[in-house]
């Protein structure tokens, strides 16, 4: 819809590829990802940055794309779930979630997986308490977290051993 | 057998896992229909009011706005719908009954525009007296929400509600067995206690979402509905369009827990599409989902008579439930709550009464084990209180009164089909092993519930020329793993590797009628329908093979890729080639489950008992009143485990969801307004609040009614958590809490009261 609102041209790296977009100042990152780039793996739930479903990595750190202005990613690197792995070539985090059955409805899963990616980048072998603390911003209503914790502990121990 | 073992080993990896971890899975909220508009809803800001006027002209004049729907647009159609009572308008007509009720809906070219248009709509209200508390709503002089009780019979659940016209009581359920008054009069002790249970929000992480495409004589919907055929039925009656012209497709659904069961926003979105004459997508915000449905809050009063030896002699249960502004499935919730308050105990004299009451609050709805957590919270708390008063160990008290397998919870219900005493003892042994010498404050609770399973559903299975298999069913994949279960059932029944079995998204245009996804029924009812459809195919294949190659059909057996007979293997393609003259075609099998299935055995309710045992240990910060559930053992007899990780996950998820209403969750009303209806103010359990040790014990007695002796599961795990925590608090600290959630403030006060009384 033409609204007469001025637009901004932004350029950023999305899943390893340099992209550009014209956005309105009010547009949120989640909408630009889901609508302009048709990356529907990023999920919208609470809309206010408390549930973590919309988590993406910006310069390697988790961020809530529902509460972030799209224009703010200009010049930065954004990783969404689509950039992490494919059903044929899963990332180790995705493999661990599958192996442990650490998901049910799957709506929190993309954000959860990316938050784990962010955690392991900061701390390759977190303790269980560190895992629980870091991921408390990613809600899951299906699993009770038990198998998610198992999966991440497994990853952390592997990193530690490796 | 080697091949069976091979198949079995693979069933753990659900096909949906791969799509979901990579973000490729298409959820209901990801559906894009060409040409679709976006809808937003203007909601009532008042709890009870007459609508004097709605001015939509300014909104309609905005560029990009295509249509605005209000109650005035409903002239000429049957404007009201419901599941037990036809009490709910598609959109408010002349009156609103709760804060959040849809008053107007805008369809526009994008969500921004639709949202902005909402601000341009003027609604003039005249406030009416309101009531948000169930007891107050039953008092004389209370404002009446619905002057007429337009009842439906055998519409969604069997039977009809016992509404009391002229009051707000839309269900009044009563049951009596034995001579309760006489038993009370002659008892050693009679205990009377009251408990309350809050309104709880489902918080399925994906909000309610529907895309509707209303055409002149047909409707297509892509919906988050847990009960696609109920949506079909309601829409058909509202808009007078044949069932066969209403298509409901249900992609992956981001959680439901009952909040997407029966029918929710589908009629409104269909009506908006009708008005706009374009496909319309409405995706609620989570805050709006909180204003769409919630668990019925309850006030439970229990009167229990015991002998000197601690034998339960009689019990009287009275449940008053706050049903909100529209009945939805509240009448069933009230019945179940009364029955689920009995527990797995021998109680010779029993009186049950439950009421569901209209109030000016968000409509109550089904939520994981309908009525169960409310009832079990009360009953299992009181069991500990009685044991303490009689100086009996609470476990011994339970075991002394517990029904054995085959015992009758109620004479008119199917006998209890699990060994509860053994399950309780096993769970305690597991906890002892886990806790070792480091035992903390410990609580125990048990539950036996009668799932409201309507044994009505079907499946179609198609065995293709290349021995790939398509399983068509209307079972919704909502996270529980039902499609994985159906795949493994078909793989086993047709002796084909699971990789070749596909279960597409439910689509009422191609899949047979199924009552709905809920009440722990899909693995049993639709699992059996798939088994039956596969048996139908096996019969056709073997008869054809015998006909073509000679011998008896029994001499042929399905095997990976084909059928093995006396002269070796023939592929499915070769078989079809011989039949059809070209090497194409398929075998089609049909499976149907009805109350007449299994020689009529399915007619008796419940189809199976869903039971649960919880044993938990808590840690309490006595300075702040903060409680943590540290260790938890959850046990259930599921008959047979069809997918271990999915089954354990259901149990773990149910228990942690129960932790939510135990410690944190409550939708709070003040002055008619829900004051914490956002995820900032409403806290659900986060990862650091989950128990440090969680053990699931899945008992496999092998005698359930479902495939391989499975019984339904997934709901029971939510039941024991709250009384486990309360019982642990009372046993260790002498602090007895009767009102959920057990917030730090309530716990701190209870601890202080216990100290003052010179308790432990």
């Amino acid at each position: 819809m033409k609204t007469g609102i001025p637009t901004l041209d932004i350029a950023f790296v999305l899943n390893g590829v340099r992209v550009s977009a014209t956005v309105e100042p009010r547009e949120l990152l989640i909408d630009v990802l889901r609508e302009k780039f048709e990356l529907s793996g990023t999920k919208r739930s609470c809309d206010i940055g408390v549930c973590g479903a919309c988590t993406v990595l910006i310069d390697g750190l988790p961020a809530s794309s529902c509460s972030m202005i799209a224009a703010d990613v200009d010049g930065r690197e954004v990783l969404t779930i689509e950039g992490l792995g494919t059903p044929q070539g899963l990332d180790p985090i995705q493999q661990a979630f599958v192996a442990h059955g650490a998901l049910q409805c799957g709506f929190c899963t993309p954000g959860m997986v990316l938050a784990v990616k962010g955690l392991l980048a900061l701390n390759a072998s977190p303790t269980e308490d560190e895992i629980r603390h870091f991921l408390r911003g990613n809600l899951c209503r299906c699993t009770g977290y038990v198998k998610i914790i198992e999966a991440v502990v497994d990853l952390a121990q592997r990193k530690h051993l490796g | 057998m080697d091949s069976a073992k091979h198949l079995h080993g693979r069933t753990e990896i659900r096909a949906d896992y791969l799509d979901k971890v990579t973000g490729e899975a298409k959820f209901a909220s990801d559906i894009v229909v060409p040409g679709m508009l976006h809808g937003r809803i203007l909601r009532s800001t008042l709890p009870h009011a007459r609508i004097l006027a709605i001015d939509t002209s300014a909104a309609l004049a905005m560029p990009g706005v295509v249509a605005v729907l209000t109650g005035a647009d409903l002239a000429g159609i049957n404007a009201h719908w419901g599941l037990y009572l036809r009490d709910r308008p598609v959109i408010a007509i002349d009156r609103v009954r709760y804060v959040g009720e849809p008053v107007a809906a805008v369809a526009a070219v994008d969500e921004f525009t639709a949202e902005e248009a909402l601000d341009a709509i003027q609604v003039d209200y005249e406030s009416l007296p309101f009531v948000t508390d169930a007891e107050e709503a039953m008092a004389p002089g209370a404002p009446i929400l619905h002057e007429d009780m337009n009842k439906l019979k055998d519409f969604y659940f069997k039977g009809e509600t016992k509404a009391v016209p002229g009051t707000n009581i839309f269900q009044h359920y009563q049951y009596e067995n034995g001579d309760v008054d006489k038993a009370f009069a002659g008892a050693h002790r009679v205990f009377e206690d009251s408990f309350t249970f809050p309104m709880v929000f489902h918080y399925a992480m994906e909000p309610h979402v529907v895309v509707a495409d209303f055409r002149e004589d047909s409707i297509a919907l892509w919906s988050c509905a847990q009960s696609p055929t109920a949506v079909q039925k309601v829409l058909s009656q509202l808009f007078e369009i044949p069932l066969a012209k209403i298509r409901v497709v249900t992609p992956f659904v981001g959680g439901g827990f009952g909040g997407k069961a029966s029918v929710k926003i589908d009629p409104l979105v269909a009506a908006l599409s009708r008005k706009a004459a374009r496909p319309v997508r409405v995706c609620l915000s989570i805050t709006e989902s909180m204003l769409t449905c919630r668990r019925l809050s309850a006030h439970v009063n229990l009167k229990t008579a015991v002998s000197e030896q601690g034998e339960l002699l009689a019990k009287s249960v009275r449940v008053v439930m706050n049903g909100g502004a529209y009945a939805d499935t509240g009448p069933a919730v009230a019945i179940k709550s009364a029955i689920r308050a009995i527990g797995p105990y021998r109680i010779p004299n029993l009186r049950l009464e439950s009421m569901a009451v209209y109030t000016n609050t968000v409509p109550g709805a089904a939520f994981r084990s309908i009525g169960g957590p409310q009832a079990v919270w009360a009953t299992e708390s009181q069991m500990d209180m009685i044991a303490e008063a009689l100086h009996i160990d609470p476990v011994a008290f339970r075991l002394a009164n517990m029904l054995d397998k085959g015992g009758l919870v109620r004479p008119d219900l199917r006998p209890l089909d699990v060994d509860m005493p053994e399950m309780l003892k096993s769970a305690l042994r597991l906890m002892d092993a886990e806790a070792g010498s480091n035992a903390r404050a410990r609580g125990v609770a048990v539950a036996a519930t009668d799932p409201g399973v309507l044994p009505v559903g079907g499946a179609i299975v198609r065995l293709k020329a290349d021995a790939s298999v398509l399983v068509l069913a209307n079972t919704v994949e909502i996270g529980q793993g039902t499609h994985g279960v159906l795949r493994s059932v078909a793989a086993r029944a047709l002796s084909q590797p699971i990789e070749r079995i596909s279960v597409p998204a439910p689509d009422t245009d191609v899949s047979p009628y199924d009552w709905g996804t809920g009440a722990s029924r899909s693995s049993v009812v639709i699992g059996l329908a798939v088994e039956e459809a596969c048996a139908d195919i096996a019969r056709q294949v073997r008869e054809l093979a015998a006909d073509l190659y000679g011998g008896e059909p029994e001499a042929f057996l399905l095997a990976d890729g084909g059928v093995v007979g006396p002269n070796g293997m023939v592929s499915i393609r070769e078989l079809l080639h011989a039949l059809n003259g070209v090497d194409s075609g398929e075998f089609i099998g049909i499976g149907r489950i009805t109350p007449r299935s299994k020689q009529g055995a399915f007619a008796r309710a419940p189809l199976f008992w869903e039971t649960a045992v919880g044993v938990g240990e808590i840690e309490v910060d006595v300075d702040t009143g903060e409680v943590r559930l540290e260790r938890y053992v959850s046990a259930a007899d599921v008959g047979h485990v069809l997918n271990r990780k999915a089954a354990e996950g259901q149990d773990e998820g149910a228990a942690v969801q129960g932790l939510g209403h135990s410690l944190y969750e409550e939708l709070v009303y003040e002055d008619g307004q829900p004051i914490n209806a956002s995820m900032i103010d409403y806290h659900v359990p986060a990862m650091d609040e989950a128990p440090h040790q969680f053990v699931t014990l899945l008992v496999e007695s092998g005698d359930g009614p479902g495939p391989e002796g499975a019984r339904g599961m997934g709901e029971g795990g939510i039941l024991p958590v709250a009384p486990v925590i309360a019982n642990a608090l009372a046993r260790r600290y002498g602090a007895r809490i009767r009102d959920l959630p057990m917030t730090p403030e309530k716990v701190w006060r209870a601890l202080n009261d216990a100290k003052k009384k010179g308790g432990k």
Side-chain angles (χ1 to χ4, degrees), chain B residues 385-404:
Chain B
M385 292 157 76
I386 297 172
E388 194 190 340
L390 298 177
H391 307 290
I392 308 174
D393 173 76
V395 171
F397 177 53
R398 283 181 175 80
L399 286 171
N401 286 287
M402 200 169 277
L403 289 163
D404 291 320

Side-chain angles (χ1 to χ4, degrees), chain A residues 1 26 34 40 43 45 48 51 81 87 94 99-101 104-105 129 132 136 139 141-142 144-147, chain B residues 20-21 26-27 29-30 110 116 201-203 205 286 479 645 648-650 652-653 665 685 688 690-691:
Chain A
M1 191 61 228
R26 66 180 178 179
R34 285 182 58 90
S40 61
K43 299 302 180 200
S45 181
I48 43 179
C51 79
I81 194 67
Q94 293 166 322
H100 287 271
Q104 289 181 31
C105 87
D129 278 345
R132 286 167 174 263
R136 71 159 281 130
L139 299 178
R141 191 62 153 168
C142 293
Y145 307 105
V146 178
K147 295 200 184 316
Chain B
K20 287 171 175 175
V21 293
K26 288 287 172 258
F27 287 82
S29 55
D30 298 327
D110 57 35
E116 279 178 7
F201 173 49
H202 303 78
Y203 190 42
M205 290 193 67
I286 283 294
K645 286 201 190 320
E648 286 175 1
Q650 281 285 297
E652 293 157 2
E665 297 182 43
D688 57 347

Side-chain angles (χ1 to χ4, degrees), chain B residues 495-537:
Chain B
S495 301
Q496 304 303 316
I498 197 163
E499 294 80 359
R500 283 213 301 273
I501 320 278
S502 301
V503 183
D507 180 343
T508 57
D509 266 8
V510 294
S511 298
Y513 177 87
D514 176 26
W515 175 78
T517 303
S520 303
R521 68 188 285 285
S522 294
S523 289
V524 172
V525 177
I526 303 305
L528 288 176
V530 169
E531 259 188 3
E532 201 177 292
C534 292
D536 187 12
I537 287 177

Side-chain angles (χ1 to χ4, degrees), chain B residues 344-345 376-388 392-400 402 420-432 440-447 612-618 629 631-635 717 719-732 736 742:
Chain B
Y345 303 116
V376 174
W377 160 239
T379 281
E380 285 300 288
S381 292
Q382 199 197 31
M383 286 299 283
D384 256 48
M385 292 157 76
I386 297 172
E388 194 190 340
I392 308 174
D393 173 76
V395 171
F397 177 53
R398 283 181 175 80
L399 286 171
M402 200 169 277
M420 287 296 291
E422 184 50 40
M423 214 161 86
L424 173 55
K425 288 180 221 164
S426 305
L428 284 162
R429 279 194 296 269
L430 258 178
M431 179 56 96
D432 284 338
R440 299 178 171 90
R442 184 183 290 187
V444 172
V446 300
V613 171
V615 182
E617 294 191 343
I618 60 169
L629 182 60
R631 289 198 185 101
Y632 195 74
V633 175
S634 175
L719 298 167
V721 185
V724 159
I725 295 173
N727 291 342
L729 260 173
R731 278 164 85 177
R732 173 69 180 79
R736 171 59 62 182
M742 293 176 267

Side-chain angles (χ1 to χ4, degrees), chain A residues 26 29 42 46 51-53 59 69 84 89 92 94 99 106 108 114 129 133 146-147 150 155:
Chain A
R26 66 180 178 179
L29 180 57
T42 302
C46 76
C51 79
D59 296 336
I69 298 295
L84 195 64
Q94 293 166 322
C108 75
L114 287 170
D129 278 345
H133 181 74
V146 178
K147 295 200 184 316
E150 278 173 22
L155 282 163

Side-chain angles (χ1 to χ4, degrees), chain B residues 274-407:
Chain B
R274 176 176 177 262
K275 179 81 192 285
R278 293 263 296 273
V280 178
R281 172 184 190 262
V282 174
C283 183
L284 302 188
S285 67
I286 283 294
T287 295
E288 287 181 288
S289 277
M290 292 182 92
L291 298 174
T292 300
C293 57
R294 45 87 181 171
R295 194 189 279 279
L296 282 80
S297 54
H299 184 113
V300 185
N301 182 270
L302 301 178
K303 212 172 144 186
T304 305
V306 291
S307 72
E308 213 169 339
Q309 292 73 39
E311 190 186 354
L312 294 172
L313 301 175
K315 184 166 182 170
S316 170
V317 175
R318 185 174 187 270
V319 186
V320 175
M321 308 196 98
N322 186 330
Y326 298 105
D328 199 296
T329 49
V333 177
I335 295 174
K336 291 297 180 192
S337 198
I339 297 172
R340 291 170 179 185
I342 305 169
Y345 303 116
R346 265 184 311 276
I347 306 174
N349 302 288
L350 187 63
R351 176 179 294 153
L352 306 178
E353 181 182 26
S354 60
M355 274 162 282
V357 186
Y358 285 128
T359 66
N360 296 108
T361 61
V362 169
F367 192 153
R368 202 172 205 156
S369 186
I370 59 171
Q374 298 95 320
V376 174
W377 160 239
T379 281
E380 285 300 288
S381 292
Q382 199 197 31
M383 286 299 283
D384 256 48
M385 292 157 76
I386 297 172
E388 194 190 340
L390 298 177
H391 307 290
I392 308 174
D393 173 76
V395 171
F397 177 53
R398 283 181 175 80
L399 286 171
N401 286 287
M402 200 169 277
L403 289 163
D404 291 320
K405 191 168 185 166

Side-chain angles (χ1 to χ4, degrees), chain B residues 441-512:
Chain B
R442 184 183 290 187
V444 172
V446 300
T449 62
D450 56 325
V453 173
L454 213 63
V456 183
I460 293 172
V461 176
R462 296 159 65 179
L463 176 62
K464 307 280 184 177
D466 59 358
S468 63
V469 178
L470 196 61
V471 176
L472 300 172
N474 265 313
T475 300
V476 177
E477 181 51 70
I478 200 158
Q480 80 283 49
T482 184
H483 287 183
V485 164
L486 298 186
R487 284 177 87 213
S488 62
V489 167
R492 187 172 166 275
L494 292 173
S495 301
Q496 304 303 316
I498 197 163
E499 294 80 359
R500 283 213 301 273
I501 320 278
S502 301
V503 183
D507 180 343
T508 57
D509 266 8
V510 294
S511 298

